[in-house]
Amino acid sequence: MEFRDLKTQYLQNKEAIDSAIQNVLLSGHFIGGEPVQQLEEKLADYVGVKHCITCANGTDALQLSLMAWNIGEGDAVFVPDFTFFSTAEVIPLVKATPVFVDIDKDTFNLSAESLEKAIQNVLKNGKITPKAVIAVDLFGQPADFAEIRKITEKYKLLLLEDGAQGFGGRIKSKRACSFGDIATTSFFPAKPLGCYGDGGAVFTDNDEWAELIQSYKVHGKGADKYDNVRIGLNSRLDAIQAAVLLVKFKFFDREIALCNQVAEQYTDQLNSFIKAPVIRKDMISSWAQYTICFQNNKDRERAIRNLKQNGIPSAIYYQRPMHLQKAFSSCAEGSEFQCKVTESICSCCLSLPMHAYMDMDDITIISQILNGERK
């Protein structure tokens, strides 16, 4: 059984994907070009924003966004304590200070209540200046942007939506990557819309920020790539990855619908004896992960062993809160008092196989193993 079945996805769409790659090889144009331009136009239209700027990966997309805002030394950027490392990693990369914020116990997304407490604490201490919030669409479900936006407007903070796991998700009819002042996503292979390498994108309606990001991603270019007007990055999406994504985009919504059927089946079978994921009203998840919670780590370890004995993969996202990562020990600020929910979830969460090609019988087998009905 595959945790994220990219092999079946490829085999079912092999002819179209192979043809798209072959066309790029025959063109001889491997960086930028028509496939990249087409992809940016399609994704901007899909999300419902003015600009989509592709780049080399999701981490660069986050860093480019902070660079466009001139975030730097002395600035505080608030970020969930429960997320992938890169969400917070980009903050010290631009010399700003990450401030870790606790999460909601049901959705695992940024807690608006904890966010406001963290902002007030930073203001009270007076060492750094609140500038921005990064809200993560964790495991596929958009964050609570209605409540988060109230807080960012109250304190005049910029809002960056990390939609690396949430692309394809929605709140009512509004799509993920349209909720922040800037939003980003990742095309890492296991993401909801994944390529066959690394890739990322930035979304915004702001013309000035879009122009800056276009410059920063190509060595700070001005009129052309040999006219360098600022210090930037080398962060371009290659044409082969864009061609693959254009093919996958054609069946992307269908896969999201199938993943929601898989999640519904999981929840129906698991909900009576284990904590299944909670999807808030009016939200649609793109199901980057299906994550359950046990009573404690001992129960989780037992489940991992039983699943493995039956050839079923699982993974822990995430084992350690950001504020306990050694890399942040010297550059983070004031988070230790407000991340108890994160610490609890890290000790008991487990992600199960989730993808559009799952056999419903496999879900039953997994449920029986977790319930102790099958050894």
Side-chain angles (χ1 to χ4, degrees):
M1 190 183 301
E2 297 288 335
F3 188 77
R4 196 86 181 173
D5 196 349
L6 301 178
K7 296 176 184 177
T8 298
Q9 182 194 61
Y10 169 65
L11 291 172
Q12 291 195 8
N13 300 279
K14 183 178 185 301
E15 184 176 350
I17 293 171
D18 287 355
S19 177
I21 293 172
Q22 187 66 33
N23 286 339
V24 174
L25 297 177
L26 291 170
S27 77
H29 299 290
F30 304 113
I31 301 294
E34 187 176 348
V36 173
Q37 182 179 343
Q38 286 182 7
L39 180 69
E40 290 177 339
E41 291 172 355
K42 285 182 180 293
L43 295 186
D45 181 67
Y46 178 79
V47 169
V49 297
K50 191 172 182 181
H51 302 284
C52 170
I53 306 108
T54 55
C55 58
N57 55 70
T59 306
D60 282 0
L62 291 165
Q63 182 174 345
L64 288 163
S65 303
L66 297 181
M67 291 169 70
W69 286 340
N70 199 29
I71 300 290
E73 191 170 359
D75 294 336
V77 180
F78 300 87
V79 62
D81 199 35
F82 190 69
T83 185
F84 182 62
F85 183 75
S86 67
T87 309
E89 178 184 27
V90 296
I91 301 168
L93 281 174
V94 298
K95 303 187 185 308
T97 302
V99 181
F100 297 113
V101 178
D102 212 356
I103 58 172
D104 178 84
K105 65 181 178 61
D106 291 326
T107 66
F108 313 148
N109 275 327
L110 185 74
S111 161
E113 180 182 1
S114 180
L115 172 62
E116 185 155 28
K117 288 180 180 178
I119 294 168
Q120 291 172 347
N121 185 66
V122 167
L123 289 170
K124 180 181 177 181
N125 289 342
K127 297 177 183 178
I128 49 179
T129 304
K131 284 294 181 71
V133 174
I134 303 178
V136 178
D137 300 335
L138 196 74
F139 299 154
Q141 179 171 204
D144 187 358
F145 286 103
E147 293 302 314
I148 293 169
R149 180 63 80 174
K150 290 177 185 177
I151 295 170
T152 58
E153 290 178 351
K154 178 179 178 180
Y155 294 95
K156 297 180 172 57
L157 304 179
L158 293 160
L159 177 57
L160 176 55
E161 177 188 359
D162 180 352
Q165 298 180 24
F167 194 76
R170 301 197 310 270
I171 302 177
K172 296 183 178 178
S173 61
K174 194 172 172 63
R175 295 190 185 276
C177 290
S178 69
F179 299 109
D181 298 307
I182 294 179
T184 66
T185 197
S186 167
F187 302 126
F188 182 79
K191 293 295 190 289
L193 181 61
C195 58
Y196 290 158
D198 273 318
V202 182
F203 299 87
T204 186
D205 285 319
N206 187 289
D207 295 341
E208 180 183 353
W209 297 338
E211 185 176 350
L212 280 170
I213 291 165
Q214 290 281 16
S215 170
Y216 277 128
K217 80 170 200 174
V218 188
H219 303 290
K221 72 181 181 69
D224 59 63
K225 67 180 181 178
Y226 298 112
D227 173 34
N228 305 102
V229 298
R230 52 183 61 88
I231 301 299
L233 307 175
N234 177 21
S235 186
R236 299 167 295 182
L237 183 70
D238 72 70
I240 287 178
Q241 303 307 334
V244 169
L245 288 165
L246 282 167
V247 175
K248 288 192 174 189
F249 185 65
K250 293 177 181 178
F251 53 83
F252 179 57
D253 279 342
R254 176 167 55 85
E255 286 196 336
I256 296 297
L258 289 170
C259 282
N260 273 274
Q261 291 178 20
V262 170
E264 184 178 354
Q265 185 77 2
Y266 259 134
T267 300
D268 284 348
Q269 297 196 29
L270 294 175
N271 216 17
S272 63
F273 63 91
I274 208 161
K275 185 177 180 182
V278 175
I279 304 300
R280 296 294 193 200
K281 183 181 179 183
D282 296 327
M283 291 200 181
I284 300 293
S285 176
S286 57
W287 293 107
Q289 307 291 348
Y290 186 92
T291 302
I292 59 176
C293 283
F294 294 86
Q295 290 293 321
N296 50 56
N297 183 55
K298 184 178 179 180
D299 289 347
R300 177 173 66 182
E301 290 300 316
R302 184 186 302 114
I304 292 171
R305 288 195 302 271
N306 291 342
L307 290 168
K308 187 176 181 179
Q309 288 171 2
N310 285 273
I312 298 168
S314 61
I316 300 175
Y317 300 108
Y318 298 96
Q319 296 192 55
R320 182 173 297 166
M322 289 295 102
H323 78 268
L324 295 179
Q325 294 283 2
K326 182 179 179 180
F328 294 123
S329 60
S330 62
C331 63
E333 170 91 4
S335 60
E336 66 279 353
F337 68 97
Q338 56 186 348
C339 297
K340 299 302 182 185
V341 176
T342 297
E343 292 178 7
S344 174
I345 298 301
C346 285
S347 71
C348 67
C349 64
L350 185 68
S351 296
L352 303 176
M354 163 55 76
H355 52 82
Y357 305 96
M358 283 198 70
D359 190 314
M360 294 302 179
D361 289 340
D362 287 340
I363 297 172
T364 299
I365 291 170
I366 292 170
S367 301
Q368 290 174 344
I369 293 169
L370 293 174
N371 198 25
E373 298 173 16
R374 182 189 290 252
K375 299 297 183 183

